[in-house]
Amino acid sequence: MSLEHAILGFLSSRQLTGYDLKKIFDTSVRHFWAADQSQIYRTLGRLARQGWAEMEVITQAERPDRKVYRITPTGRQELLNWLKSELPAEPPRSPEMIQVFFSAQLTDVQVRAMLERVADQMRQGLAVFDAIPKNIEAYAEFTQSPREFYFWLLTLEVGQMTTRANLDWIENVIQRIQDGEVPQA
Amino acid sequence: MSLEHAILGFLSSRQLTGYDLKKIFDTSVRHFWAADQSQIYRTLGRLARQGWAEMEVITQAERPDRKVYRITPTGRQELLNWLKSELPAEPPRSPEMIQVFFSAQLTDVQVRAMLERVADQMRQGLAVFDAIPKNIEAYAEFTQSPREFYFWLLTLEVGQMTTRANLDWIENVIQRIQDGEVPQA
DNA sequence: GTTTCATATAGGACATATCCTATATAGTAG
DNA sequence: CTACTATATAGGATATGTCCTATATGAAAC
């Protein structure tokens, strides 16, 4: 599972708490990886148990104690090995494509409505992408490295590109419906 | 979960067994939905229990008995409702993007190797797409409807388009590395 | 006759993710 | 003082998917 390596990746820059990581997953990388808070805490525990991270309790005066995690040399090696490894192919699983496939059973009017709905969701997604600040200063909290920031921008870029390409395709299909190019039975 | 609706979709054309569905998931729709055999059998049981499908045992002389499932009117209505509904947004989850993001920690040579590897996987995926027969006769077993076949082709089309767009983007990034456009620290 | 494949069925155990709950600190709004 | 937000932690139960196992029929290859 990649959450372990994602967390190791963040810990390789600096030590963090579960709460810190939750904020990072909710902001900086939410366009390509979402993680649930309890999942993060459980994964941190697992990383510590298998020796890829170590934990230190920091007592706080006016807040509950913080558990700060830092990557170990073993964990750093595991991260580098994983970064160089080939990922197993994932079984494809697209509810959208199931709807597209079986919407052959709907009328052209209903198909168009469905496609317009999906297109709207994609436009909203693009608006979210466009609204993300793209200057490194906005991300000082998670990195000061221009190289790291550049690679983060790459993930943003591909997300936007893919969403835009899918939106173009949907609009093209809508046009084909309007042009009467879709078989009726 | 969309597997229920995918199965309802197939049953809406004709009655099928779990074994039939496994073959369909392994061939015709494997480019956008993969399903495990035991998952299919369990989901069929659930569809029957909640009244969206009904099951009839067909005794066979020289093979084990077959359990044939057919969609019910309730199930057909549920399918149509689902086809017209807006899907909840899925949390994004891309192991590839995690590798891209953290590969900032690798050297340019290592990053290139990683991207070439991903590119190779995509070329293989495209080769698989290109090898899929695109004449309706090859799919007589699962549909004889030109409209249904057209919508199936749409799912193929978007899969190819997305894979190609991603491959172009990776090649572009490799070019940027070669051109020295990527920050070093 | 053993292995593999095809045709059939389906349960057990586990992995991963989600959603909910719970606790404990402080601060703000009403 | 209740509700909400922020800062902190983490377990219980469930949903979904995977992998393995098991059974039972026939056919083909070695």
Side-chain angles (χ1 to χ4, degrees), chain B residues 33-73:
Chain B
W33 198 275
D36 187 78
Q37 176 179 304
S38 68
Q39 194 186 10
I40 292 172
Y41 280 95
R42 282 194 246 251
T43 303
L44 280 172
R46 194 163 53 249
L47 290 177
R49 280 194 298 281
Q50 63 207 37
W52 295 351
E54 61 197 9
M55 184 269 291
E56 173 188 10
V57 176
I58 304 293
T59 304
Q60 294 198 121
E62 302 191 346
R63 292 277 197 279
D65 294 349
R66 300 166 86 236
K67 277 182 171 171
V68 176
Y69 290 80
R70 69 171 60 86
I71 196 169
T72 61

Tab-separated table of all heavy atoms in Angstrom, chain B residues 33-73:
chain	number	residue	atom	x	y	z
B	33	TRP	N	-13.178	-2.166	-15.690
B	33	TRP	CA	-13.618	-2.725	-14.403
B	33	TRP	C	-13.150	-4.159	-14.275
B	33	TRP	O	-13.465	-4.987	-15.117
B	33	TRP	CB	-15.134	-2.660	-14.254
B	33	TRP	CG	-15.513	-2.818	-12.811
B	33	TRP	CD1	-15.686	-3.998	-12.131
B	33	TRP	CD2	-15.720	-1.772	-11.854
B	33	TRP	NE1	-15.986	-3.752	-10.815
B	33	TRP	CE2	-16.016	-2.389	-10.610
B	33	TRP	CE3	-15.697	-0.389	-11.911
B	33	TRP	CZ2	-16.279	-1.664	-9.432
B	33	TRP	CZ3	-15.938	0.333	-10.751
B	33	TRP	CH2	-16.225	-0.299	-9.537
B	34	ALA	N	-12.406	-4.430	-13.242
B	34	ALA	CA	-11.959	-5.791	-12.965
B	34	ALA	C	-12.714	-6.313	-11.752
B	34	ALA	O	-12.925	-5.579	-10.798
B	34	ALA	CB	-10.467	-5.811	-12.686
B	35	ALA	N	-13.131	-7.555	-11.811
B	35	ALA	CA	-13.855	-8.133	-10.666
B	35	ALA	C	-13.346	-9.538	-10.389
B	35	ALA	O	-13.181	-10.351	-11.303
B	35	ALA	CB	-15.353	-8.152	-10.957
B	36	ASP	N	-13.152	-9.810	-9.126
B	36	ASP	CA	-12.685	-11.100	-8.666
B	36	ASP	C	-13.852	-12.081	-8.654
B	36	ASP	O	-14.991	-11.713	-8.364
B	36	ASP	CB	-12.142	-10.928	-7.241
B	36	ASP	CG	-11.482	-12.152	-6.703
B	36	ASP	OD1	-10.330	-12.407	-7.082
B	36	ASP	OD2	-12.137	-12.847	-5.909
B	37	GLN	N	-13.580	-13.347	-8.951
B	37	GLN	CA	-14.640	-14.353	-9.044
B	37	GLN	C	-15.440	-14.472	-7.750
B	37	GLN	O	-16.683	-14.504	-7.784
B	37	GLN	CB	-14.002	-15.684	-9.397
B	37	GLN	CG	-14.983	-16.837	-9.434
B	37	GLN	CD	-14.265	-18.116	-9.826
B	37	GLN	OE1	-13.635	-18.174	-10.873
B	37	GLN	NE2	-14.342	-19.123	-8.985
B	38	SER	N	-14.776	-14.525	-6.635
B	38	SER	CA	-15.527	-14.699	-5.389
B	38	SER	C	-16.341	-13.445	-5.078
B	38	SER	O	-17.426	-13.529	-4.498
B	38	SER	CB	-14.595	-15.059	-4.227
B	38	SER	OG	-13.774	-13.980	-3.899
B	39	GLN	N	-15.851	-12.305	-5.504
B	39	GLN	CA	-16.598	-11.061	-5.314
B	39	GLN	C	-17.883	-11.081	-6.148
B	39	GLN	O	-18.945	-10.645	-5.698
B	39	GLN	CB	-15.701	-9.896	-5.737
B	39	GLN	CG	-16.195	-8.539	-5.301
B	39	GLN	CD	-15.337	-7.445	-5.870
B	39	GLN	OE1	-14.487	-7.690	-6.727
B	39	GLN	NE2	-15.576	-6.229	-5.420
B	40	ILE	N	-17.769	-11.598	-7.379
B	40	ILE	CA	-18.940	-11.689	-8.242
B	40	ILE	C	-20.005	-12.599	-7.619
B	40	ILE	O	-21.184	-12.237	-7.548
B	40	ILE	CB	-18.537	-12.220	-9.639
B	40	ILE	CG1	-17.668	-11.181	-10.358
B	40	ILE	CG2	-19.768	-12.560	-10.476
B	40	ILE	CD1	-17.059	-11.677	-11.655
B	41	TYR	N	-19.599	-13.776	-7.158
B	41	TYR	CA	-20.563	-14.713	-6.572
B	41	TYR	C	-21.209	-14.109	-5.320
B	41	TYR	O	-22.414	-14.223	-5.109
B	41	TYR	CB	-19.885	-16.050	-6.247
B	41	TYR	CG	-19.725	-16.931	-7.476
B	41	TYR	CD1	-18.543	-16.925	-8.205
B	41	TYR	CD2	-20.764	-17.738	-7.909
B	41	TYR	CE1	-18.399	-17.704	-9.341
B	41	TYR	CE2	-20.637	-18.531	-9.046
B	41	TYR	CZ	-19.454	-18.500	-9.763
B	41	TYR	OH	-19.319	-19.259	-10.886
B	42	ARG	N	-20.414	-13.447	-4.510
B	42	ARG	CA	-20.991	-12.838	-3.298
B	42	ARG	C	-21.948	-11.709	-3.657
B	42	ARG	O	-22.994	-11.541	-3.017
B	42	ARG	CB	-19.872	-12.318	-2.390
B	42	ARG	CG	-19.200	-13.423	-1.608
B	42	ARG	CD	-18.353	-12.884	-0.487
B	42	ARG	NE	-16.938	-13.170	-0.732
B	42	ARG	CZ	-16.243	-14.064	-0.024
B	42	ARG	NH1	-16.797	-14.709	0.971
B	42	ARG	NH2	-14.983	-14.286	-0.290
B	43	THR	N	-21.601	-10.944	-4.682
B	43	THR	CA	-22.474	-9.834	-5.062
B	43	THR	C	-23.782	-10.362	-5.668
B	43	THR	O	-24.849	-9.807	-5.413
B	43	THR	CB	-21.741	-8.912	-6.048
B	43	THR	OG1	-20.531	-8.467	-5.434
B	43	THR	CG2	-22.588	-7.702	-6.391
B	44	LEU	N	-23.696	-11.430	-6.457
B	44	LEU	CA	-24.916	-12.032	-6.998
B	44	LEU	C	-25.842	-12.466	-5.862
B	44	LEU	O	-27.052	-12.252	-5.919
B	44	LEU	CB	-24.561	-13.238	-7.879
B	44	LEU	CG	-24.095	-12.917	-9.293
B	44	LEU	CD1	-23.588	-14.171	-9.986
B	44	LEU	CD2	-25.227	-12.289	-10.103
B	45	GLY	N	-25.251	-13.084	-4.836
B	45	GLY	CA	-26.054	-13.509	-3.689
B	45	GLY	C	-26.745	-12.319	-3.048
B	45	GLY	O	-27.932	-12.379	-2.677
B	46	ARG	N	-26.016	-11.239	-2.936
B	46	ARG	CA	-26.592	-10.047	-2.302
B	46	ARG	C	-27.714	-9.453	-3.174
B	46	ARG	O	-28.757	-9.051	-2.670
B	46	ARG	CB	-25.491	-9.002	-2.069
B	46	ARG	CG	-25.925	-7.892	-1.132
B	46	ARG	CD	-24.767	-7.104	-0.562
B	46	ARG	NE	-23.873	-6.592	-1.587
B	46	ARG	CZ	-22.624	-7.050	-1.765
B	46	ARG	NH1	-22.141	-7.983	-0.984
B	46	ARG	NH2	-21.882	-6.554	-2.724
B	47	LEU	N	-27.494	-9.403	-4.502
B	47	LEU	CA	-28.521	-8.882	-5.397
B	47	LEU	C	-29.802	-9.704	-5.274
B	47	LEU	O	-30.909	-9.147	-5.276
B	47	LEU	CB	-28.023	-8.912	-6.848
B	47	LEU	CG	-26.919	-7.917	-7.232
B	47	LEU	CD1	-26.485	-8.135	-8.669
B	47	LEU	CD2	-27.386	-6.482	-7.029
B	48	ALA	N	-29.636	-11.018	-5.153
B	48	ALA	CA	-30.813	-11.883	-5.014
B	48	ALA	C	-31.511	-11.619	-3.692
B	48	ALA	O	-32.746	-11.526	-3.623
B	48	ALA	CB	-30.403	-13.351	-5.131
B	49	ARG	N	-30.713	-11.482	-2.626
B	49	ARG	CA	-31.309	-11.270	-1.308
B	49	ARG	C	-32.066	-9.954	-1.241
B	49	ARG	O	-33.107	-9.868	-0.579
B	49	ARG	CB	-30.227	-11.269	-0.215
B	49	ARG	CG	-29.773	-12.663	0.193
B	49	ARG	CD	-28.980	-12.620	1.480
B	49	ARG	NE	-27.753	-11.839	1.355
B	49	ARG	CZ	-26.633	-12.295	0.778
B	49	ARG	NH1	-26.589	-13.520	0.295
B	49	ARG	NH2	-25.583	-11.539	0.687
B	50	GLN	N	-31.533	-8.905	-1.913
B	50	GLN	CA	-32.252	-7.621	-1.815
B	50	GLN	C	-33.269	-7.435	-2.921
B	50	GLN	O	-33.806	-6.342	-3.106
B	50	GLN	CB	-31.261	-6.448	-1.731
B	50	GLN	CG	-30.363	-6.239	-2.917
B	50	GLN	CD	-29.054	-5.551	-2.491
B	50	GLN	OE1	-28.522	-5.807	-1.421
B	50	GLN	NE2	-28.539	-4.697	-3.354
B	51	GLY	N	-33.520	-8.505	-3.689
B	51	GLY	CA	-34.649	-8.487	-4.618
B	51	GLY	C	-34.379	-7.831	-5.953
B	51	GLY	O	-35.327	-7.578	-6.706
B	52	TRP	N	-33.120	-7.527	-6.257
B	52	TRP	CA	-32.832	-6.920	-7.563
B	52	TRP	C	-32.566	-7.982	-8.636
B	52	TRP	O	-32.512	-7.674	-9.812
B	52	TRP	CB	-31.623	-5.990	-7.447
B	52	TRP	CG	-31.874	-4.803	-6.565
B	52	TRP	CD1	-33.074	-4.420	-6.027
B	52	TRP	CD2	-30.919	-3.853	-6.103
B	52	TRP	NE1	-32.924	-3.302	-5.266
B	52	TRP	CE2	-31.613	-2.906	-5.290
B	52	TRP	CE3	-29.547	-3.674	-6.304
B	52	TRP	CZ2	-30.965	-1.820	-4.677
B	52	TRP	CZ3	-28.918	-2.592	-5.685
B	52	TRP	CH2	-29.618	-1.684	-4.877
B	53	ALA	N	-32.382	-9.218	-8.216
B	53	ALA	CA	-32.204	-10.317	-9.152
B	53	ALA	C	-32.852	-11.550	-8.564
B	53	ALA	O	-33.079	-11.626	-7.356
B	53	ALA	CB	-30.715	-10.562	-9.424
B	54	GLU	N	-33.168	-12.505	-9.422
B	54	GLU	CA	-33.679	-13.785	-8.936
B	54	GLU	C	-32.897	-14.899	-9.610
B	54	GLU	O	-32.399	-14.731	-10.712
B	54	GLU	CB	-35.192	-13.921	-9.202
B	54	GLU	CG	-35.559	-13.875	-10.659
B	54	GLU	CD	-37.042	-13.594	-10.872
B	54	GLU	OE1	-37.759	-13.274	-9.896
B	54	GLU	OE2	-37.482	-13.689	-12.031
B	55	MET	N	-32.819	-16.004	-8.901
B	55	MET	CA	-31.924	-17.082	-9.305
B	55	MET	C	-32.704	-18.368	-9.562
B	55	MET	O	-33.669	-18.668	-8.867
B	55	MET	CB	-30.908	-17.313	-8.189
B	55	MET	CG	-29.837	-18.336	-8.483
B	55	MET	SD	-30.318	-19.994	-7.941
B	55	MET	CE	-30.283	-19.811	-6.162
B	56	GLU	N	-32.283	-19.090	-10.583
B	56	GLU	CA	-32.904	-20.377	-10.899
B	56	GLU	C	-31.789	-21.395	-11.137
B	56	GLU	O	-30.834	-21.121	-11.860
B	56	GLU	CB	-33.767	-20.221	-12.162
B	56	GLU	CG	-34.322	-21.524	-12.693
B	56	GLU	CD	-34.991	-21.330	-14.049
B	56	GLU	OE1	-34.866	-20.252	-14.659
B	56	GLU	OE2	-35.656	-22.286	-14.495
B	57	VAL	N	-31.933	-22.548	-10.512
B	57	VAL	CA	-30.914	-23.588	-10.692
B	57	VAL	C	-31.260	-24.416	-11.921
B	57	VAL	O	-32.383	-24.895	-12.068
B	57	VAL	CB	-30.847	-24.509	-9.453
B	57	VAL	CG1	-29.856	-25.631	-9.699
B	57	VAL	CG2	-30.455	-23.709	-8.226
B	58	ILE	N	-30.295	-24.561	-12.815
B	58	ILE	CA	-30.462	-25.380	-14.002
B	58	ILE	C	-29.616	-26.632	-13.823
B	58	ILE	O	-28.381	-26.555	-13.763
B	58	ILE	CB	-29.993	-24.632	-15.271
B	58	ILE	CG1	-30.720	-23.292	-15.415
B	58	ILE	CG2	-30.183	-25.506	-16.513
B	58	ILE	CD1	-32.188	-23.407	-15.688
B	59	THR	N	-30.279	-27.778	-13.746
B	59	THR	CA	-29.541	-29.019	-13.573
B	59	THR	C	-28.855	-29.386	-14.880
B	59	THR	O	-29.442	-29.267	-15.954
B	59	THR	CB	-30.499	-30.150	-13.155
B	59	THR	OG1	-31.181	-29.731	-11.968
B	59	THR	CG2	-29.722	-31.428	-12.883
B	60	GLN	N	-27.621	-29.808	-14.782
B	60	GLN	CA	-26.902	-30.237	-15.970
B	60	GLN	C	-26.511	-31.703	-15.794
B	60	GLN	O	-26.249	-32.153	-14.684
B	60	GLN	CB	-25.644	-29.369	-16.163
B	60	GLN	CG	-25.970	-27.907	-16.466
B	60	GLN	CD	-24.808	-27.164	-17.076
B	60	GLN	OE1	-24.898	-26.642	-18.167
B	60	GLN	NE2	-23.668	-27.129	-16.360
B	61	ALA	N	-26.467	-32.393	-16.910
B	61	ALA	CA	-26.179	-33.824	-16.847
B	61	ALA	C	-24.704	-34.090	-16.585
B	61	ALA	O	-24.343	-34.898	-15.732
B	61	ALA	CB	-26.607	-34.496	-18.140
B	62	GLU	N	-23.842	-33.387	-17.306
B	62	GLU	CA	-22.427	-33.743	-17.245
B	62	GLU	C	-21.553	-32.656	-16.639
B	62	GLU	O	-20.340	-32.689	-16.749
B	62	GLU	CB	-21.919	-34.059	-18.661
B	62	GLU	CG	-22.715	-35.194	-19.281
B	62	GLU	CD	-22.059	-35.699	-20.547
B	62	GLU	OE1	-21.161	-35.012	-21.069
B	62	GLU	OE2	-22.438	-36.782	-20.998
B	63	ARG	N	-22.184	-31.672	-16.049
B	63	ARG	CA	-21.437	-30.586	-15.417
B	63	ARG	C	-22.156	-30.257	-14.117
B	63	ARG	O	-23.334	-30.604	-13.950
B	63	ARG	CB	-21.427	-29.344	-16.313
B	63	ARG	CG	-20.650	-29.469	-17.579
B	63	ARG	CD	-19.174	-29.193	-17.296
B	63	ARG	NE	-18.447	-28.916	-18.513
B	63	ARG	CZ	-17.999	-29.858	-19.346
B	63	ARG	NH1	-18.251	-31.118	-19.080
B	63	ARG	NH2	-17.339	-29.542	-20.420
B	64	PRO	N	-21.486	-29.561	-13.213
B	64	PRO	CA	-22.227	-29.145	-12.007
B	64	PRO	C	-23.406	-28.265	-12.392
B	64	PRO	O	-23.405	-27.622	-13.446
B	64	PRO	CB	-21.178	-28.344	-11.218
B	64	PRO	CG	-19.874	-28.773	-11.778
B	64	PRO	CD	-20.103	-29.109	-13.218
B	65	ASP	N	-24.398	-28.210	-11.523
B	65	ASP	CA	-25.575	-27.389	-11.784
B	65	ASP	C	-25.181	-25.921	-11.972
B	65	ASP	O	-24.221	-25.448	-11.369
B	65	ASP	CB	-26.550	-27.499	-10.605
B	65	ASP	CG	-27.120	-28.902	-10.485
B	65	ASP	OD1	-26.917	-29.694	-11.424
B	65	ASP	OD2	-27.762	-29.196	-9.462
B	66	ARG	N	-25.953	-25.229	-12.811
B	66	ARG	CA	-25.694	-23.794	-13.026
B	66	ARG	C	-26.726	-22.966	-12.274
B	66	ARG	O	-27.905	-23.323	-12.216
B	66	ARG	CB	-25.850	-23.455	-14.529
B	66	ARG	CG	-24.935	-24.187	-15.432
B	66	ARG	CD	-25.378	-24.066	-16.887
B	66	ARG	NE	-24.878	-22.870	-17.555
B	66	ARG	CZ	-25.657	-21.970	-18.153
B	66	ARG	NH1	-26.953	-22.126	-18.165
B	66	ARG	NH2	-25.139	-20.920	-18.728
B	67	LYS	N	-26.293	-21.862	-11.705
B	67	LYS	CA	-27.232	-20.923	-11.093
B	67	LYS	C	-27.349	-19.728	-12.030
B	67	LYS	O	-26.407	-18.957	-12.189
B	67	LYS	CB	-26.725	-20.464	-9.731
B	67	LYS	CG	-27.049	-21.455	-8.619
B	67	LYS	CD	-26.572	-20.961	-7.295
B	67	LYS	CE	-27.087	-21.854	-6.164
B	67	LYS	NZ	-26.461	-21.503	-4.875
B	68	VAL	N	-28.524	-19.611	-12.643
B	68	VAL	CA	-28.750	-18.554	-13.608
B	68	VAL	C	-29.506	-17.411	-12.944
B	68	VAL	O	-30.509	-17.632	-12.265
B	68	VAL	CB	-29.545	-19.102	-14.822
B	68	VAL	CG1	-29.866	-17.978	-15.783
B	68	VAL	CG2	-28.731	-20.179	-15.524
B	69	TYR	N	-28.984	-16.194	-13.118
B	69	TYR	CA	-29.600	-15.023	-12.500
B	69	TYR	C	-30.270	-14.158	-13.561
B	69	TYR	O	-29.766	-14.004	-14.671
B	69	TYR	CB	-28.542	-14.180	-11.774
B	69	TYR	CG	-27.998	-14.852	-10.541
B	69	TYR	CD1	-27.019	-15.836	-10.655
B	69	TYR	CD2	-28.483	-14.549	-9.271
B	69	TYR	CE1	-26.532	-16.487	-9.524
B	69	TYR	CE2	-27.992	-15.180	-8.147
B	69	TYR	CZ	-27.027	-16.160	-8.285
B	69	TYR	OH	-26.562	-16.801	-7.188
B	70	ARG	N	-31.440	-13.612	-13.201
B	70	ARG	CA	-32.088	-12.653	-14.081
B	70	ARG	C	-32.515	-11.451	-13.255
B	70	ARG	O	-32.812	-11.544	-12.069
B	70	ARG	CB	-33.268	-13.261	-14.824
B	70	ARG	CG	-34.473	-13.615	-14.000
B	70	ARG	CD	-35.647	-13.993	-14.915
B	70	ARG	NE	-35.346	-15.136	-15.763
B	70	ARG	CZ	-35.512	-16.417	-15.392
B	70	ARG	NH1	-35.965	-16.699	-14.190
B	70	ARG	NH2	-35.213	-17.388	-16.222
B	71	ILE	N	-32.499	-10.314	-13.919
B	71	ILE	CA	-32.834	-9.077	-13.227
B	71	ILE	C	-34.335	-9.022	-12.965
B	71	ILE	O	-35.122	-9.560	-13.741
B	71	ILE	CB	-32.374	-7.851	-14.064
B	71	ILE	CG1	-32.339	-6.581	-13.214
B	71	ILE	CG2	-33.218	-7.672	-15.310
B	71	ILE	CD1	-31.652	-5.411	-13.904
B	72	THR	N	-34.731	-8.417	-11.849
B	72	THR	CA	-36.153	-8.245	-11.542
B	72	THR	C	-36.593	-6.832	-11.968
B	72	THR	O	-35.733	-5.976	-12.232
B	72	THR	CB	-36.386	-8.383	-10.029
B	72	THR	OG1	-35.644	-7.362	-9.358
B	72	THR	CG2	-35.949	-9.756	-9.538
B	73	PRO	N	-37.919	-6.597	-12.034
B	73	PRO	CA	-38.371	-5.224	-12.335
B	73	PRO	C	-37.802	-4.211	-11.340
B	73	PRO	O	-37.426	-3.090	-11.725
B	73	PRO	CB	-39.898	-5.331	-12.240
B	73	PRO	CG	-40.186	-6.765	-12.590
B	73	PRO	CD	-39.048	-7.551	-11.989
